[in-house]
Amino acid sequence: MHDIRAIRDNPAAFDKGLTSRGLEPLSSELIALDDARKAAISAAQGAQEKRNALSKEIGAAKKAKDEARAQALMAEVARLKEEAPSLDAAADAAGKALAERLAAIPNVPNPDVPEGRDEHDNVEKSRFEGRGLSQEGRQHFELGEAMGLMDFETAAKLSGSRFVVLKGQIARLERALGQFMLDLHTGEHGYTEVVPPLLVRDEAMFGTAQLPKFRDDQFAAVQGSPEMAQESGAANRWLIPTAEVPLTNLVRESILAEDELPLRFTALTPCFRAEAGAAGRDTRGMLRQHQFSKVELVSITAPERSTEEHERMLACAEAVLRRLDIPFRVVTLCTGDMGFASAKTYDIEAWLPGQKTYREISSCSVCGDFQARRMEARYRPKEGKGVTYVHTLNGSGVAVGRALIAVMENYQNPDGSVTVPSALAPYMGGLTRIEGVGGNTRNQETGGSPRTEGQR
């Protein structure tokens, strides 16, 4: 959410940020709304001040035994009192109009974000080729279905499209990936593990900017039937689209001490997205699901440290893929491809041999004070007076389902089996290769002698 005072101080910079996103300049409209708000507040305050002054004059008139003047003053006070609710309502309405308009405007990009219209204008930052960019192989769903361990048909009977049932060794591989990421981020990267609620209130979704603009992309949960909920006035709860929502809101309506910063949180949770704008995209497989698992990274920092923290978060997410030896590239998103709350975003894109292309597996964004203003999340600097807003950052560390896809496609063997990356060996109970229903390949210590990763 934007600071109207900052917009007033530098409207040209604000408009430039919006136009770089492909939007129309809005500073004049917002300043006009703020002028209307100030005028309405002034009118309400002026009427109250006049009432107070006239009330004092009534006492003086009575003391002077000027009953006619006293009655006239009392009539005027009564009229002003009768007008007060409408003046207060006008002031509230003007303030609400400005707040709603500000809440619907995306964050302004940082000055170093490349300008562009869409993903074709993103700029590559770095690349890790690791085990090499294989140009041969089947897609993950072809491998999983052939193994009998990835079932989209049954999932559709249970829940509809964009769901999957994972079984056996692939289910274990997904669990292993999530545990591996959590252990890496908590044990080596200094993040605190959190188990947050999966249902949150409107205020939490507003705080991280999923509401109001992206309401149609969310899954709402109501207690009882929709009719009962409407009749009782029960508040909605929302299934989290990402753990960014509860993790970032851990500091909502707080004033932190500077010594507490940075705060770094991580969580492995299911995520739920309606994918309302994704009709016809990635309809096969697990790339775009209504339900998926993700390890989230969230940082809360002082403003002067947020740029450094952004680079650090990116390195933490990259470390997951480096340990797994998955080829990837990092791109800086252009102004036209950034998320609503982001001031700058890096995407990590994993190489998928089955598609012969890179696909996003993580986004790491710095949001400045945009979310903090919506949450009223502030801190008290060591030096200086008063409080100021924190900066928030979030990133995938990484999406577990997409990591599963990347492992399956990059570690597939000609016979349709999948070699288990060495980084996941401690989590797989001795399994070194996934072969499907009936397959139970183990390492030499448990009696097997499969082809190792280096023998592919």
Side-chain angles (χ1 to χ4, degrees):
M1 196 159 179
H2 299 283
D3 181 2
I4 187 61
R5 291 172 297 183
I7 295 171
R8 279 184 170 278
D9 290 343
N10 199 342
F14 179 75
D15 285 341
K16 182 180 179 182
L18 294 186
T19 55
S20 73
R21 276 183 171 264
L23 302 175
E24 295 296 321
L26 293 174
S27 63
S28 296
E29 175 190 339
L30 295 169
I31 291 170
L33 286 171
D34 192 40
D35 287 340
R37 179 188 68 87
K38 289 182 174 182
I41 292 173
S42 180
Q45 291 177 340
Q48 180 61 50
E49 290 169 0
K50 188 173 182 181
R51 278 176 59 191
N52 294 340
L54 292 177
S55 295
K56 292 180 180 179
E57 290 186 32
I58 290 171
K62 285 184 174 293
K63 187 174 181 180
K65 300 187 182 302
D66 189 344
E67 192 60 30
R69 176 164 173 73
Q71 289 298 320
L73 291 170
M74 290 170 65
E76 179 65 8
V77 167
R79 183 187 69 77
L80 291 171
K81 186 176 181 180
E82 189 175 336
E83 282 184 357
S86 63
L87 292 173
D88 290 340
D92 289 344
K96 184 179 179 181
L98 176 61
E100 288 180 348
R101 191 69 185 98
L102 287 169
I105 300 170
N107 204 350
V108 172
N110 285 348
D112 62 338
V113 174
E115 290 198 26
R117 297 198 308 174
D118 54 32
E119 67 273 13
H120 299 101
D121 296 319
N122 295 339
V123 177
E124 185 169 314
K125 172 182 169 69
S126 62
R127 185 177 290 223
F128 172 77
E129 295 198 352
R131 59 194 298 106
L133 304 185
S134 173
Q135 300 294 327
E136 300 295 332
R138 288 184 279 177
Q139 296 196 57
H140 66 284
F141 54 84
E142 296 171 318
L143 294 164
E145 288 176 327
M147 291 179 184
L149 301 180
M150 190 175 285
D151 189 346
F152 297 95
E153 184 177 346
T154 300
K157 293 177 182 178
L158 297 173
S159 305
S161 62
R162 298 192 188 276
F163 290 91
V164 65
V165 173
L166 301 180
K167 302 174 185 177
Q169 297 166 1
I170 289 184
R172 181 166 193 167
L173 181 60
E174 186 185 65
R175 173 161 55 95
L177 282 162
Q179 296 304 312
F180 158 68
M181 294 176 202
L182 277 183
D183 286 350
L184 177 62
H185 295 315
T186 57
E188 298 186 30
H189 298 157
Y191 287 85
T192 298
E193 183 176 354
V194 176
V195 179
L198 302 182
L199 291 168
V200 295
R201 297 176 180 270
D202 287 3
E203 295 85 353
M205 294 285 275
F206 177 83
T208 45
Q210 278 75 27
L211 293 181
K213 185 174 178 60
F214 302 103
R215 180 177 296 269
D216 291 342
D217 290 326
Q218 316 306 326
F219 282 111
V222 295
Q223 185 174 352
S225 69
E227 293 78 16
M228 289 174 57
Q230 185 174 7
E231 185 176 326
S232 66
N236 273 353
R237 299 291 186 273
W238 300 91
L239 288 167
I240 61 169
T242 164
E244 171 199 345
V245 178
L247 293 183
T248 309
N249 276 277
L250 289 176
V251 297
R252 70 173 295 109
E253 298 169 6
S254 299
I255 299 177
L256 304 166
E258 186 173 359
D259 288 342
E260 297 179 73
L261 303 177
L263 294 172
R264 299 184 178 114
F265 304 120
T266 186
L268 167 60
T269 68
C271 304
F272 305 90
R273 295 185 185 174
E275 295 290 354
R281 296 176 60 191
D282 300 315
T283 55
R284 293 293 308 276
M286 291 179 57
L287 272 167
R288 199 176 294 275
Q289 296 272 281
H290 289 313
Q291 176 186 323
F292 58 95
S293 295
K294 181 155 68 79
V295 171
E296 185 71 12
L297 305 175
V298 162
S299 296
I300 312 296
T301 75
E304 61 272 15
R305 300 295 298 274
S306 62
T307 297
E308 174 188 341
E309 186 71 14
H310 193 202
E311 299 297 327
R312 183 187 189 278
M313 179 177 285
L314 173 64
C316 292
E318 286 183 2
V320 173
L321 300 182
R322 290 178 184 273
R323 298 286 179 92
L324 294 173
D325 201 25
I326 299 294
F328 67 88
R329 69 177 183 178
V330 177
V331 296
T332 305
L333 299 194
C334 71
T335 54
D337 198 34
M338 288 167 44
F340 183 85
S342 174
K344 183 178 181 179
T345 297
Y346 296 128
D347 269 9
I348 303 176
E349 300 176 343
W351 175 255
L352 301 184
Q355 291 194 7
K356 297 179 178 58
T357 191
Y358 290 97
R359 296 301 299 265
E360 178 203 335
I361 197 169
S362 171
S363 283
C364 296
S365 299
V366 58
C367 301
D369 64 6
F370 186 83
Q371 293 177 324
R373 289 181 177 278
R374 299 168 80 101
M375 297 186 301
E376 283 299 314
R378 296 171 291 172
Y379 81 103
R380 194 180 306 279
K382 291 179 184 177
E383 300 179 2
K385 297 180 180 179
V387 296
T388 189
Y389 289 101
V390 297
H391 278 197
T392 64
L393 303 93
N394 63 82
S396 305
V398 297
V400 177
R402 293 198 173 192
L404 176 68
I405 293 170
V407 167
M408 290 180 67
E409 295 198 11
N410 282 278
Y411 282 85
Q412 63 180 294
N413 300 309
D415 63 1
S417 65
V418 173
T419 300
V420 174
S422 58
L424 299 181
Y427 303 90
M428 291 298 290
L431 287 170
T432 60
R433 190 167 62 192
I434 296 173
E435 298 180 303
V437 175
N440 193 30
T441 306
R442 293 182 176 270
N443 62 25
Q444 293 183 12
E445 293 181 358
T446 55
S449 56
R451 181 172 49 181
T452 65
E453 177 188 336
Q455 295 171 320
R456 286 191 69 235

